Amino acid sequence: LKPALPAPCPILPFSLALRLPPVFLVSKMPATWKVVGGADKGGIMVREGKAITSKQLPDKLATGAVVEELELAGERLHFQKLSGAGPATGWVSVAVKDKPLLSKKADSPSTAPAAEEKAAPAPVAASPTTAAPAGGAGGGAAVDLSEEVAPPPPEIAGAQVYSLTKEELEKAFKEADDWWMDPARRRATPVDASILEGFLTAPTEVKLEEPRDYKGGQLPVMPRTIGLPTYAAVPDNVKKSFPERPVRKPMIRLYCFPGAADNYMLWIEMATAAPEWCEVAIYEPRAHGFRPNEPWDKTLEERAADAFKVMRPAFETHARGGVSEGAPFGFLSHGVGGQFMALLAQRLKRELSIEPLVVFANDGPPSNVSTLSPEGYNMLCSDIYKFYCAFQPDTIRQVEKLGGKDSKPGAALLQKWSRGLRLFEEHSYRCQARADPIFHKFNCDLHVLVGRHTVDIEEFVQKLGTPQAKKEMNERKKVTASPPDSSVNWDRDMFKKWKDWTTEDFYYHELETDHMSIKNHKLMRDVVFKELAGFCGMDYRP
């Protein structure tokens, strides 16, 4: 049962939300080049920077290697390797004394001079020290996100960040899927606190100093990777329902973190409805949405490590030496995604010395709060279908519409929900096993936004529900971690435990909406964008 809500949000077709089409419908794709020179010298020279006086890398880019164009500056090409031997990224010359060293592949888009006449977006994986704001520092020139480079197609998903070949990616996907389908996964996993400790104390690649004060002005387009999809990759039919602003002049960024079985497409309204002065970026987990062929994470800590890797180019722009050093940003999560948000924040603070200016946790608990009772967790492990019959009957109804639990799409949906929930639940057990479960403190205001239909669902069902709805609500009591006489996922006291995760002010909001609707609901957006407006001196009128 879903009680009637004021101004309900548009809902994407379930088939679209479950899995995006395997081919992206985009208007522009990055150019690819093939190395044709250097056959007699073991390849061509690669340098760290654009300048030919910059440091030379020890390895050459092999003849025959295929690379993706990140930026073309005259005869200098900033590349990301797709196949072949040599450095994963760097700068090379496309020709020397009119002798070609690289040849643009025939199926690549042309680089007509006209395309350079308007402000171009930052390269996909631009260095924070080399990317330049559109229109100059503090510019005021508009940033046209509709022309931004789209994520790569699925057959090379992951290559941007992990330098994997298609075969290596397929092997990693199969290994992870086999791990999840192993009969051993049908038993409760013993709590291994070392997994969490390993993440919290992992060696850092580099420890940056804290960023200096931000100088102000408009932000350049955010560097994107496969883990931060762009609006350009959205199918045309969805764009008609959720049109993006033709122009954005971002003064602040909002990074969003999804919960179980969630993906970028389910956040599209939030991203497109943002004011023109705010750029919204949504993390896309592996095996979800635009990353369907990448391997499933086995732990939430593994997912957080992936997020740090794929989002790092964007975060480095805020860090010391970045093109937007000290620029403001906020965090927003949905559901159990708040647990993963805290993990990532801990890594950002420890390695890049950056922190959000404000945090919003939408209808979800912190890491030291479980969602399931011991009986519920054991049932999730041993019998997924039985568990969701009790915990989330709507999912079972969707499974039946897809052909039942033994059909390929029905089984895929159950696996997506159950694996996601296990990642978060098992992480919460590791967190609670620590002497101090609060492994990270946000040094900013923290807002918890709760759907009143989430915490008072029993009241609504008793007043308005059918006998079947009341029966289903009663069945939930045995599988949730809320008090024994309650069937809610989390009660008010569980939500308010977020208070311990900040050194600054804590705010608790209840909105007239429910768990699924809140992440795109106008009431939620009004709270979030009004708060963000104050950090960048902008107006927000609900």
Side-chain angles (χ1 to χ4, degrees):
L1 177 68
K2 286 190 176 181
L5 296 174
C9 297
I11 303 296
L12 289 176
F14 181 76
S15 59
L16 177 61
L18 175 62
R19 181 183 176 120
L20 289 172
V23 178
F24 299 147
L25 305 179
V26 297
S27 59
K28 183 178 178 183
M29 291 298 294
T32 54
W33 298 69
K34 184 175 182 179
V35 180
V36 295
D40 57 339
K41 299 178 180 178
I44 63 175
M45 185 185 303
V46 182
R47 294 186 182 274
E48 279 189 355
K50 183 192 305 183
I52 59 174
T53 56
S54 63
K55 182 180 178 181
Q56 179 180 335
L57 298 184
D59 297 326
K60 291 185 176 182
L61 188 60
T63 305
V66 176
V67 300
E68 177 181 290
E69 177 185 312
L70 301 181
E71 182 181 359
L72 184 61
E75 295 291 308
R76 297 290 288 167
L77 174 71
H78 186 198
F79 72 88
Q80 184 81 37
K81 187 182 67 177
L82 299 180
S83 65
T89 188
W91 287 82
V92 293
S93 296
V94 298
V96 175
K97 296 181 180 179
D98 296 328
K99 180 180 179 181
L101 299 181
L102 293 98
S103 174
K104 183 179 288 189
K105 299 188 73 174
D107 56 353
S108 292
S110 64
T111 348
E116 299 176 358
E117 292 177 4
K118 62 181 181 178
V124 170
S127 162
T129 57
T130 59
V143 177
D144 185 353
L145 294 182
S146 66
E147 291 297 318
E148 197 172 355
V149 177
E155 58 265 24
I156 60 168
Q160 260 185 312
V161 177
Y162 295 101
S163 300
L164 299 178
T165 65
K166 181 180 178 181
E167 292 72 23
E168 290 170 335
L169 195 62
E170 290 174 348
K171 181 181 178 182
F173 181 90
K174 185 179 184 304
E175 288 176 349
D177 199 56
D178 289 347
W179 184 89
W180 275 105
M181 298 305 292
D182 190 315
R185 303 280 83 72
R186 296 177 188 171
R187 298 187 294 273
T189 301
V191 178
D192 183 357
S194 68
I195 295 173
L196 175 55
E197 294 305 319
F199 178 89
L200 299 178
T201 60
T204 57
E205 292 183 19
V206 59
K207 173 63 177 176
L208 296 182
E209 296 179 16
E210 291 186 4
R212 291 161 292 205
D213 291 341
Y214 184 51
K215 296 180 180 179
Q218 180 182 318
L219 299 174
V221 173
M222 182 189 305
R224 300 276 183 160
T225 67
I226 190 68
L228 281 179
T230 70
Y231 185 77
V234 174
D236 291 338
N237 62 321
V238 179
K239 287 180 179 177
K240 292 178 181 178
S241 299
F242 301 97
E244 168 64 311
R245 296 176 183 273
V247 171
R248 285 196 181 275
K249 298 179 180 180
M251 308 296 288
I252 193 169
R253 292 172 179 160
L254 180 65
Y255 295 96
C256 302
F257 304 98
D262 208 348
N263 63 53
Y264 170 80
M265 293 300 296
L266 297 179
W267 290 72
I268 192 67
E269 185 181 3
M270 176 67 180
T272 55
E276 70 170 18
W277 45 261
C278 180
E279 184 178 10
V280 174
I282 297 107
Y283 167 68
E284 186 84 285
R286 295 191 295 184
H288 291 68
F290 286 120
R291 306 175 72 183
N293 301 322
E294 294 192 57
W296 261 95
D297 300 306
K298 298 174 184 177
T299 67
L300 194 63
E301 290 80 357
E302 189 176 312
R303 177 167 294 181
D306 169 74
F308 183 69
K309 199 173 188 75
V310 299
M311 298 175 76
R312 184 169 187 151
F315 285 130
E316 284 183 331
T317 66
H318 300 271
R320 185 68 172 247
V323 68
S324 306
E325 182 176 343
F329 66 93
F331 276 180
L332 183 148
S333 65
H334 179 251
V336 285
Q339 302 176 354
F340 152 63
M341 174 177 70
L343 281 170
L344 182 63
Q346 190 267 356
R347 176 65 62 85
L348 284 174
K349 182 178 180 180
R350 193 159 57 89
E351 186 154 343
L352 300 185
S353 299
I354 60 173
E355 301 181 75
L357 284 181
V358 63
V359 170
F360 305 93
N362 268 352
D363 217 65
S367 293
N368 58 331
V369 172
S370 300
T371 300
L372 305 179
S373 66
E375 180 180 353
Y377 170 65
N378 281 298
M379 191 187 301
L380 172 64
C381 298
S382 62
D383 193 331
I384 298 171
Y385 186 84
K386 181 180 178 181
F387 169 79
Y388 276 98
C389 283
F391 181 71
Q392 204 161 283
D394 279 349
T395 297
I396 296 301
R397 285 187 270 274
Q398 294 286 1
V399 168
E400 297 305 327
K401 289 180 181 179
L402 292 171
K405 65 178 181 178
D406 296 324
S407 68
K408 188 173 181 179
L413 177 59
L414 282 173
Q415 285 296 325
K416 179 168 286 190
W417 271 109
S418 62
R419 292 178 187 183
L421 185 54
R422 281 191 70 169
L423 289 183
F424 290 98
E425 188 68 3
E426 290 168 0
H427 164 72
S428 76
Y429 298 158
R430 291 189 286 271
C431 180
Q432 293 172 69
R434 301 181 81 240
D436 181 6
I438 316 300
F439 59 76
H440 177 73
K441 290 265 191 179
F442 291 100
N443 292 311
C444 63
D445 291 351
L446 195 157
H447 297 252
V448 172
L449 294 83
V450 175
R452 196 166 73 83
H453 295 224
T454 299
V455 288
D456 289 337
I457 186 65
E458 292 166 315
E459 176 186 332
F460 287 107
V461 170
Q462 290 303 317
K463 289 181 179 179
L464 307 172
T466 64
Q468 177 65 21
K470 293 177 182 177
K471 179 181 178 182
E472 290 176 351
M473 193 59 58
N474 192 58
E475 285 294 305
R476 295 189 90 252
K477 293 180 179 179
K478 63 185 179 184
V479 298
T480 64
S482 53
D485 59 343
S486 173
S487 58
V488 300
N489 287 348
W490 314 284
D491 63 18
R492 289 176 173 86
D493 289 338
M494 297 165 84
F495 283 119
K496 290 177 181 178
K497 288 193 175 183
W498 272 112
K499 184 177 183 180
D500 298 327
W501 290 76
T502 180
T503 61
E504 299 296 326
D505 292 336
F506 172 77
Y507 300 89
Y508 178 87
H509 311 259
E510 282 193 14
L511 309 177
E512 287 294 334
T513 182
D514 64 10
H515 177 74
M516 297 305 294
S517 302
I518 193 171
K519 71 183 166 196
N520 285 304
H521 204 283
K522 186 179 184 303
L523 293 174
M524 181 278 298
R525 297 200 305 264
D526 289 348
V527 173
V528 171
F529 293 128
K530 183 178 180 181
E531 188 72 15
L532 292 178
F535 285 109
C536 54
M538 306 302 292
D539 291 327
Y540 178 71
R541 296 178 177 84

